[in-house]
Amino acid sequence: MNEKLDRLLDHLETFLPKPLTDEQWKSSTAFRWRRRDSIFGSIGFLQPVKYVSDITFEDLQNIDRQRDAIRDNTKNFIQKKPANNILLTGARGTGKSSLIKASLHEFASQGLRLVEVEKEHLADLADITELLADRPERFIVFCDDLSFEDGESGYKAMKSALDGSVSAQVDNVLIYATSNRRHLLPEYMKDNEGYMHSDDGEIHPGEVVEEKISLSERFGLWLSFYPPKQDEYLAIVAHWLQHFGLTPTQIEAARSEALVWALERGSRSGRVAWQFAKHWAGSHA
């Protein structure tokens, strides 16, 4: 009977995600939090990332203030000094996610690790931090392109993880999030109806507005990003064309086409510059 039960348990274990081995912890610098449906329900687990971005801080042009802020904060975190959770907001394609990847590239050799968590899995944040708390490494939980609609469950989970749970924040875990929305929630004209003003004309936001800013204000550091000016955009293009091995003469010849490329896409950004550089280098290298 015991043998049959052991065989049954061994069989059932094949349906469960396996915990990371010591070798996987040591050899991996980035992980993704995944969920797998099984006969026991949906089970969360960490999956090592095989191919990690090699972008560096030097590759990111014209966002020096933001770069220095995230580098200093991450350096403090690695050195076990006080450090803040960070919210990076602003125009799309301006380097928000790339700065976080560059932070990993810079500090991985000093024990930094990255755990990417998708929005639909934010309810697992408490389980994730508990899993990481006893590890010797320093972890950044990375939430990319974060925004919420009214009533989404991940919103409250994120608030608790940042500063609202009865448990203290885990010492070796920070949260870095990117978003195109400053306050992470949609904002409507009707929200302004809750504003009140005193006799001296001072304005006070209503409960709806207070609730909508209560998550973003729990991030200790806010970094804002804006579309580059034309000269800045061309400098980014030139950097990537040089990266792909083009000569100064070839880079100069690409300027007008780079502007047309941005015009056709309706925006100038680091991402657009990177996409143009790949297209141009592929055709002219």
Side-chain angles (χ1 to χ4, degrees), residues 24-124:
Q24 287 175 313
W25 279 114
K26 291 177 182 177
S27 62
S28 303
T29 60
F31 307 86
R32 289 191 181 95
W33 181 256
R34 299 296 198 196
R35 294 200 70 86
R36 178 184 295 172
D37 292 329
S38 71
I39 58 175
F40 303 102
S42 181
I43 298 175
F45 62 99
L46 283 176
Q47 179 185 67
V49 176
K50 291 183 178 180
Y51 306 105
V52 180
S53 172
D54 60 356
I55 194 166
T56 69
F57 284 125
E58 288 67 34
D59 289 327
L60 301 170
Q61 307 290 307
N62 299 303
I63 48 173
D64 295 356
R65 182 184 61 82
Q66 297 91 328
R67 179 200 63 205
D68 292 345
I70 196 171
R71 175 187 267 161
D72 291 345
N73 191 76
T74 308
K75 184 177 180 180
N76 289 340
F77 177 55
I78 290 298
Q79 296 177 349
K80 299 184 179 181
K81 298 177 181 178
N84 277 306
N85 300 300
I86 302 180
L87 177 61
L88 302 89
T89 64
R92 63 187 187 276
T94 48
K96 300 185 295 294
S97 301
S98 294
L99 272 180
I100 297 175
K101 297 171 188 175
S103 297
L104 178 64
H105 185 276
E106 177 100 348
F107 296 106
S109 62
Q110 301 176 45
L112 184 67
R113 299 293 181 262
L114 196 69
V115 178
E116 186 173 10
V117 181
E118 297 178 2
K119 185 178 75 168
E120 54 265 31
H121 298 153
L122 288 178
D124 297 336

Side-chain angles (χ1 to χ4, degrees), residues 142-206:
F142 173 34
C143 304
D144 193 25
D145 197 19
L146 189 62
S147 64
F148 299 98
E149 300 303 323
D150 292 331
E152 284 194 89
S153 60
Y155 177 81
K156 293 189 180 299
M158 177 66 85
K159 283 178 66 174
S160 295
L162 288 168
D163 183 23
S165 173
V166 67
S167 60
Q169 273 196 278
V170 176
D171 176 69
N172 67 331
V173 177
L174 283 183
I175 296 176
Y176 286 6
T178 71
S179 180
N180 294 330
R181 290 174 175 170
R182 181 66 179 268
H183 292 141
L184 304 174
L185 282 167
E187 299 178 62
Y188 304 107
M189 183 65 71
K190 64 181 181 181
D191 296 340
N192 295 325
E193 296 173 1
Y195 271 86
M196 299 173 290
H197 60 86
S198 57
D199 294 338
D200 60 1
E202 187 176 2
I203 296 177
H204 303 280

